[in-house]
Amino acid sequence: MAAPGDGVGGVCKHHAQQDVCDSRAKYREGRRPRAVKVYTVNLESRYLLIQGVPALGVMKELVEQFALYGAIEEYNALDEYPAEQFTEVYLIKFQKLQSARVAKRKLDERSFFGSLLHVCYAPEFETVQETREKLQDRRKYIAKATSNRVHFVVKKIQEPKKTVSKNSEHDFQPETLGFSAADANTGNWDPSACCPYPYQPSCEFSSRNTACPSGGHFQRVLAFPQYVSNCAETSESFCQSKPLTQSAQQRGYTNTPVSLVLQRKVPSDNGIGRFMPRTTQLQERKRKRDQGNQIDLIGIDSDSSEVIIGPRLPEIPKVDMDDDSLNTSASLIRNKLTEVAVSVPKSSGEKPEDTQTKPPIKQRRRI
Amino acid sequence: MSQKQRDLLELGRLEYLQALVTEFQVTESPEAKEQVLANLANFAYDPKNYEYLRQLQVLDLFLDMLTEDNEILVEFAIGGLCNLCLDKTNKDYILEADGVAPVINCLSSSNEETVMSAVTTLMYLTTPQSRQQTTALPVVECMLRFSLSANRRLSNLARIFLEDYCSPVQVEEARNLSKHTAVGIPLPKD
C-alpha cells in the first residue's frame, strides 16, 4: 500500500493505520487499543495529516476543532492525496509541536460529521530547517528536563514524608489508607530501599540467557555486583541517617502495615525473584531497627509513643475470628508473643520503654 | 482510571518497568518480546524514566537488540536508543559501551524507521570525542546517498547530518570516494 515515498504529498508507510494489537498482556493494556509502535522525534511533527474528513465542505469546522489545541500556522486540503470515496485529506501545521501532539491524541479516531478521523504526524512535509529545529528543540528539552531532575528527586523524597505523618495522625485503616500511602510513597522508598535490587533480575537474566551471542553485554553485567554493594551501602547510610529525625522515625513505624500489605500482595502475583525487593526492603528495615534500637526507643519515648501505638490498636479487632474459642487462642498466642518480644530486648538494655515499643513489632510478626 | 494506570500506581514506575524487563527476559513469545520492547522504547522518550531505565540496564538491552535478526526488534531498540541518547549520562554510557558501531550498522537496514532512528541517534551521540567515530568516512558517504533519497524525511535528516555535523572537507572527501566506488550501502526499502 505504501508507494515509494516520492517526496511531499505521497503516501507514506507511517500514515497507514496499523492494526491494533490484541495480544497484550493484561498489565500492559492501555486505555485505548493501540498498535505496537515506537515513537521517536523523527516520527513527530508539527504537521498533521488528517484523513477521513467527509467531503461536505467542512474545512472551517475541521480547522476550528484543531485550533482548540493550539495556534495553527497553515492548513490546506491535499487534493492529490489518495483518499477514500467521499472523504478528503487535510494538512494542518501547528505553531508548536506540543499542540500537534495533543491535537493528535485528542482527535485521532474521533467522529467528525459522521466519519472517523485518522490523524497522524506528517514529518515529510517539513523543510530541512524545520526538521533541524525539531531536533534542536528535543535537544533543549532533554537538557532542561535532565538538569531539573535533581531538584525533582529531592522534592519527591521530602514530600511523601508529609503524607505519611499525616496518615499516622489519622486513625489507621490499614487496607485502604495504607495503600494510598504506599502509592504516594513509592518515590520515597525508592532511593533508599529499591536501589539494591533492580540489578538482581539482570543477573538472573545473564545466567539464564547465556545463549545470547553478545559477549560485551555480559561483561558489563558482570561488572555490576560491585555497584550493587555500593548502592546497598548508600541505602544503608540513608537509612541510618533517618532515625536521627523523629519524623523519619515515625515513618519507619507507620509504614509497617503498608509494607505488610504490599508484601502480602506481591508474592501472590508473581513468584519470580523480581519482587524480592520488598523482602529486601523489610530486611533492611529490620536491620535498621536492630541497629538503631536505642535511638528508636529514644525517638518514641520522647512523645510519639501514643501516636504510634494508638493507630495500631484498632487493628486488633480486624483479626477477630468470629469465634470465642478462636479468639481466646489468638489472644493467648498474642500474649505469648508479647512475652517473647519483651524478653529479647530486655537483654539489650532498656526496660520500661520496651513494653511500649514492642507491640508494633509483635504485631508484625503475628501477621 | 484504567487498569494500566492503576497498576502503574500500585507497582510504582520502577516496578512496572521492572516487570516489563522481566517479561522481556522470560517470555518465549516473539510477539510479546516485540510489544514489550516497544513499550520500553516508548518509555525511553520521557526523561522521567531515564534513571529507572539505567538501573534496569535497559540501555544494554537496547544495544543488544541491535544485533538481532528480527528487524522489528532492531527497529524498536534503535528507536529506544534514539529516544534516550540525548541525556548526558545515557550518551556517555552508550559511547562507553561501544554503542556507535552497532548504530552505524543500522544505517544499512532495509527498514526506513531503523535507518532514520540511526541517523538521528548518530547526530545525538556526536561529541568532540566521539565525532571521529560518528562521522567516519563510510558514514558520511552513506549520508551523501541518503541526502539524494526520494524519501523526504530521510533526505532532510541526511542533509542536516552533513551540514551540521560534518566538515566541508569530510563531505568533499566522501564525495570523491563515492565517485570511485559504485557499490555503497543500499537505500532502505519502503
Side-chain angles (χ1 to χ4, degrees), chain A residues 8 41-42 44-48 73-74 91-97 122-138 140, chain B residues 123-124 152-153 156-157 159-160 163-164:
Chain A
V8 181
V41 65
N42 292 330
E44 288 185 314
S45 181
R46 297 193 289 151
Y47 288 89
L48 291 183
E73 209 168 285
E74 275 176 47
L91 183 73
I92 291 183
K93 179 188 178 191
F94 279 93
Q95 245 166 37
K96 290 190 179 136
L97 177 61
E124 64 282 349
F125 287 92
E126 290 170 354
T127 64
V128 174
Q129 188 53 31
E130 281 165 348
T131 306
R132 177 180 281 129
E133 281 162 13
K134 179 177 74 174
L135 295 177
Q136 285 300 335
D137 285 348
R138 172 83 181 152
K140 280 183 215 150
Chain B
M123 289 191 226
Y124 286 162
R152 176 84 171 266
R153 291 165 64 209
N156 278 357
L157 285 176
R159 282 185 56 188
I160 294 167
E163 288 168 20
D164 298 1

Side-chain angles (χ1 to χ4, degrees), chain A residues 24-245:
Chain A
R24 279 197 180 91
K26 189 102 187 186
Y27 82 106
R28 291 193 268 108
E29 260 171 31
R31 225 173 322 180
R32 273 165 37 179
R34 283 177 203 278
V36 180
K37 188 164 184 174
V38 171
Y39 273 98
T40 66
V41 65
N42 292 330
L43 272 165
E44 288 185 314
S45 181
R46 297 193 289 151
Y47 288 89
L48 291 183
L49 189 80
I50 300 107
Q51 303 179 64
V53 184
L56 301 168
V58 286
M59 181 166 85
K60 187 167 162 278
E61 285 79 1
L62 182 82
V63 173
E64 277 170 6
Q65 270 294 311
F66 278 80
L68 290 175
Y69 304 100
I72 292 173
E73 209 168 285
E74 275 176 47
Y75 61 88
N76 55 285
L78 295 179
D79 297 329
E80 69 285 7
Y81 195 97
E84 269 185 44
Q85 225 182 351
F86 310 122
T87 68
E88 290 169 342
V89 180
Y90 286 86
L91 183 73
I92 291 183
K93 179 188 178 191
F94 279 93
Q95 245 166 37
K96 290 190 179 136
L97 177 61
Q98 185 54 29
S99 318
R101 259 184 218 143
V102 179
K104 177 182 180 297
R105 195 170 63 228
K106 298 275 185 189
L107 294 176
D108 191 19
E109 310 214 321
R110 238 340 160 66
S111 166
F112 182 75
F113 284 90
S115 155
L116 275 194
L117 297 180
H118 172 47
V119 183
C120 62
Y121 295 118
E124 64 282 349
F125 287 92
E126 290 170 354
T127 64
V128 174
Q129 188 53 31
E130 281 165 348
T131 306
R132 177 180 281 129
E133 281 162 13
K134 179 177 74 174
L135 295 177
Q136 285 300 335
D137 285 348
R138 172 83 181 152
R139 198 184 271 277
K140 280 183 215 150
Y141 171 73
I142 295 289
K144 204 170 147 228
T146 46
S147 65
N148 280 346
R149 256 193 52 81
V150 182
H151 304 285
F152 177 67
V153 169
V154 170
K155 237 203 244 160
K156 245 169 119 193
I157 291 175
Q158 286 169 348
E159 180 187 62
K161 229 186 246 177
K162 270 180 239 153
T163 53
V164 173
S165 50
K166 225 188 280 161
N167 273 344
S168 68
E169 280 156 26
H170 288 209
D171 276 13
F172 216 81
Q173 288 173 333
E175 296 303 327
T176 52
L177 241 180
F179 229 84
S180 65
D183 295 342
N185 258 346
T186 37
N188 187 4
W189 295 6
D190 286 350
S192 62
C194 297
C195 218
Y197 65 79
Y199 293 90
Q200 215 155 2
S202 27
C203 184
E204 271 175 35
F205 174 41
S206 61
S207 57
R208 210 176 295 158
N209 277 23
T210 28
C212 178
S214 66
H217 169 71
F218 297 120
Q219 281 173 3
R220 270 175 267 139
V221 171
L222 285 180
F224 81 74
Q226 209 183 356
Y227 190 56
V228 170
S229 65
N230 280 347
C231 279
E233 262 172 46
T234 50
S235 71
E236 205 158 297
S237 62
F238 188 81
C239 292
Q240 277 172 349
S241 66
K242 277 278 146 80
L244 297 179
T245 65

Side-chain angles (χ1 to χ4, degrees), chain B residues 71 74 105-112 114-115 185-189:
Chain B
E71 287 260 345
V74 177
N105 274 336
C106 289
L107 292 177
S108 56
S109 165
S110 59
N111 176 324
E112 59 170 357
T114 303
V115 175
I185 298 170
L187 286 171
K189 277 182 279 182

Side-chain angles (χ1 to χ4, degrees), chain A residues 38 217 220, chain B residues 24 36-45 50 53 56-68 73-85 90 94 102-103 106:
Chain A
V38 171
H217 169 71
R220 270 175 267 139
Chain B
F24 184 84
V36 173
L37 190 62
N39 269 183
L40 287 169
N42 283 319
F43 272 113
Y45 188 84
Y50 288 170
L53 293 174
L56 296 168
Q57 309 221 323
V58 174
L59 279 78
D60 286 318
L61 194 156
F62 287 155
L63 286 171
D64 280 351
M65 288 304 116
L66 294 185
T67 49
E68 282 287 307
L73 288 181
V74 177
E75 177 190 332
F76 292 168
I78 188 73
L81 285 174
C82 178
N83 278 340
L84 55 67
C85 70
N90 293 342
I94 295 168
V103 172
C106 289

Side-chain angles (χ1 to χ4, degrees), chain B residues 78-130:
Chain B
I78 188 73
L81 285 174
C82 178
N83 278 340
L84 55 67
C85 70
L86 266 179
D87 173 68
K88 178 96 177 45
T89 319
N90 293 342
K91 188 189 303 185
D92 291 346
Y93 187 88
I94 295 168
L95 293 175
E96 196 89 334
D98 288 329
V100 176
V103 172
I104 289 176
N105 274 336
C106 289
L107 292 177
S108 56
S109 165
S110 59
N111 176 324
E112 59 170 357
E113 290 308 326
T114 303
V115 175
M116 281 184 272
S117 294
V119 176
T120 310
T121 306
L122 282 178
M123 289 191 226
Y124 286 162
L125 284 178
T126 302
T127 65
Q129 289 77 38
S130 69

